[in-house]
Amino acid sequence: MRALRLQEWKSEPQLVEMPEPTPGPGQVVVRIGAAGACHSDLHLMDEFEPGSVPWNPPFTLGHENAGWVHALGAGVTGLEVGQPVAVYGPWGCGTCARCRVGVDPYCENPAGAPVPGGGGGLGLDGGMAEYELVPHSRHVVPLPAGLEPVDAAPLTDAGLTPYHAIRRSWHRLAPGSTAVAIGIGGLGHVAVQILKATSAARVIAVDTRADALALAQECGADLTVMSGETAAEEIRQATGGRGADLVLDFVGVDATLRLGAAVARSVSDLAIVGIGGGTLPVSYFSVPYEMSVATTYWGSRPELIEVLDLGARGLVRPKTTRFTLDDALTAYRKMRDGSLEGRAVIVP
């Protein structure tokens, strides 16, 4: 089979021939229908080096995957060959308290995981190939009726990650509340849809690009604000001076973190989802009273099931551009130069 593999750090991935995988006991091979291209892949290609994470190349890219069950290992039950499925991307040990309830991203026994702190496309072979070997059947989630693999693939990260960040703050999002999404890219535009589908909050979208703000409006944002010197004041005025009950930062650089703290209400949440490397100084008077600041990573397996349900019902649908495996590098180039709207999906 063909696979797009990162052969070494700080390099472009290469399309190579690989043997088709065979499942061992408890494992599943998925015939890939679609694999999402993620901005974190660019960090792998451009910035990571030995020691950055507890795993190294070579491995096949693609951690947002969906397709059809192709082969089942001995002992696997509850799945059938040909069944449409999504692949839950983070692969923990499966035995610690977090993994037992499906929260593999926060696995507390990384030494017992297939790859510490990673998964398919992150240290182990992912879905930018014709087939993907999934090391345990619990990571294979049946698709609900009405949702095709090409639409499900980006929901496994670009949907699940913002969903988790929003869900943990549902108690903040009663009628009269405000949520601010900073950075309307591959995750941010999905976050706007999730906020509108699952909460009563007024949604304000912030970005530096007019086309991104237009996409936010298309996704249901109540107000769009161009990022800049007046952005904080505009948001404050729009909330009657109170500020936002939830701020989601999908960029994570110094400027966006400062903006998030500047527009947050007292007794609010600031979720840092973007891995831009910025810092937010925290002292007694530097942030609103009782504002909670948290970083989030991916989401749980039960939350993925909920996201897929939203997708099947048409309530959350990432804007996607499809590429073949041969054109996958073009997708990444468009991501680098900012010319890609929404999410890129690679279809083998």
Side-chain angles (χ1 to χ4, degrees), residues 225-277:
V225 174
M226 185 67 69
S227 184
E229 293 182 1
T230 63
E233 181 58 29
E234 288 182 57
I235 294 169
R236 281 280 172 189
Q237 288 181 356
T239 59
R242 294 188 301 272
D245 300 86
L246 170 63
V247 179
L248 301 155
D249 186 349
F250 294 103
V251 184
V253 297
D254 287 353
T256 56
L257 292 172
R258 285 197 303 269
L259 176 62
V263 303
R265 187 180 186 180
S266 60
V267 192
S268 64
D269 291 342
L270 169 60
I272 305 170
V273 185
I275 56 174

Side-chain angles (χ1 to χ4, degrees), residues 166 169-175 177-179 195 198-201 245-246:
I166 293 164
S169 296
W170 272 354
H171 63 290
R172 305 274 191 222
L173 303 180
S177 64
T178 299
L195 285 164
T198 67
S199 82
D245 300 86
L246 170 63

